[in-house]
Amino acid sequence: MRSGNALAKRDATYMCLAGRGLPRRQPVLAVRAASSPSDVLEDNKVLVAGATGGTGKAVVEALFAKSVPVRALVRDTTKGGSSGLAGLGKSTEMVRGDVFQFASLPPALEGCTAVICCTGARDPRDPLGPFNVDFQGTLNLIAAAKQKGVKQFVLVSSIGADDLLNPLNLFWGVLFWKKRAEEELQRSGLTYTIVRPGGLKTKLRQGETAGNVVMAAPGTFGVPPARKSGSILRSQVADVCVAALTEPAAANKVVEVIAEKDAPVRSPAELFAGVNWF
């Protein structure tokens, strides 16, 4: 996916996302300036799984802002059509599918070059939710991606995935199953980036500032006092996921991300290049 045209512009200047003009997005992550969106992601189509969730919608919006063709995987196209997906009917198309139903996935991936997976179990009353969605569903998507020749796979996971005793595992082992899915992706042979965000925010409270993205190696953030905690806007997570498709330093890495108001603005290239854990 990293075209020669994109790589040739590695030394281009950087600018803040404030210039997008999209009302819900926050000016928090510096990205490469480009003469056109095709300079960044040329001739690609990205499948977004979990497209109607908070983070998935933000990813669709970030891709639409770069004029990248998007295929939004939804279980219910009627619900998906009323969810306000960015670019629907233009560069965004919906396709019906369920990550827990493998047969629905290869057709959905036809012609796609990358996957950004933002799925996650939602119903705390379902003891099998994390296994079915965060683990088995992700494995199905990985297998279908390999079958259809997808080049890159970006997985949104969570900080704390390495910590078996994290309180979030009281939700039917959700982080345990996310970690198992991470391992399957790492063994898959696909070029991957695993993004582990801190506490997710959809929008800022009155008077609150977003801060800038801080990226670190796995196991950096978690439950205090043993580890530092932090939160991040879903739109910021989306920017990191989209940047992972074009930044060479993002390949085959697991990164944890939070936002801090005093953190310096760094480009995606700088953020990804700064993370090494082996």
Side-chain angles (χ1 to χ4, degrees):
M1 288 197 60
R2 299 177 178 89
S3 68
N5 197 16
L7 292 177
K9 296 181 179 292
R10 290 277 314 270
D11 296 326
T13 58
Y14 292 88
M15 67 180 182
C16 184
L17 285 175
R20 282 187 174 175
L22 295 174
R24 293 177 55 210
R25 300 184 62 73
Q26 303 294 329
V28 292
L29 179 62
V31 296
R32 242 177 339 204
S35 57
S36 70
S38 63
D39 289 328
V40 181
L41 290 165
E42 186 176 0
D43 299 327
N44 292 293
K45 180 174 286 187
V46 181
L47 180 93
V48 179
T52 58
T55 304
K57 286 177 69 175
V59 168
V60 172
E61 189 173 278
L63 290 165
F64 174 66
K66 293 182 177 293
S67 300
V68 180
V70 177
R71 186 169 290 160
L73 184 72
V74 298
R75 287 186 295 175
D76 185 340
T77 54
T78 302
K79 178 183 175 182
S82 62
S83 64
L85 289 175
L88 197 58
K90 299 177 183 177
S91 60
T92 300
E93 61 175 307
M94 280 192 305
V95 61
R96 186 172 178 271
D98 186 340
V99 293
F100 195 57
Q101 302 296 328
F102 177 81
S104 70
L105 299 178
L109 282 160
E110 191 68 46
C112 292
T113 51
V115 170
I116 300 179
C117 179
C118 308
T119 56
R122 298 183 185 181
D123 188 353
R125 299 167 298 178
D126 182 5
L128 293 179
F131 172 81
N132 287 341
V133 178
D134 296 274
F135 177 64
Q136 190 59 59
T138 305
L139 266 60
N140 285 341
L141 196 55
I142 292 168
K146 291 176 66 178
Q147 185 181 110
K148 302 305 291 186
V150 166
K151 303 301 182 184
Q152 284 182 275
F153 198 113
V154 179
L155 174 64
V156 179
S157 182
S158 174
I159 63 171
D162 295 315
D163 184 4
L164 185 61
L165 299 180
N166 189 293
L168 285 177
N169 275 321
L170 293 173
F171 174 30
W172 313 113
V174 61
L175 295 182
F176 173 85
W177 291 117
K178 285 183 182 294
K179 174 66 175 181
R180 303 287 80 76
E182 287 184 11
E183 292 170 340
E184 292 294 333
L185 178 57
Q186 289 174 296
R187 289 191 285 258
S188 70
L190 294 169
T191 298
Y192 68 86
T193 306
I194 297 169
V195 179
R196 294 179 175 179
L200 291 167
K201 296 181 179 181
T202 300
K203 59 183 179 180
L204 298 173
R205 297 187 298 269
Q206 186 175 1
E208 186 181 13
T209 58
N212 293 311
V213 173
V214 176
M215 186 178 289
T220 300
F221 305 118
V223 179
R227 293 184 176 89
K228 186 177 182 179
S229 64
S231 60
I232 186 168
L233 284 167
R234 295 180 189 274
S235 59
Q236 292 173 297
V237 177
D239 292 330
V240 170
C241 291
V242 173
L245 298 177
T246 58
E247 293 299 339
N252 302 325
K253 282 187 177 178
V254 182
V255 299
E256 297 188 347
V257 289
I258 62 171
E260 294 182 333
K261 63 180 181 179
D262 296 325
V265 176
R266 290 194 171 96
S267 70
E270 292 171 320
L271 289 169
F272 282 113
V275 177
N276 291 288
W277 74 99
F278 57 84

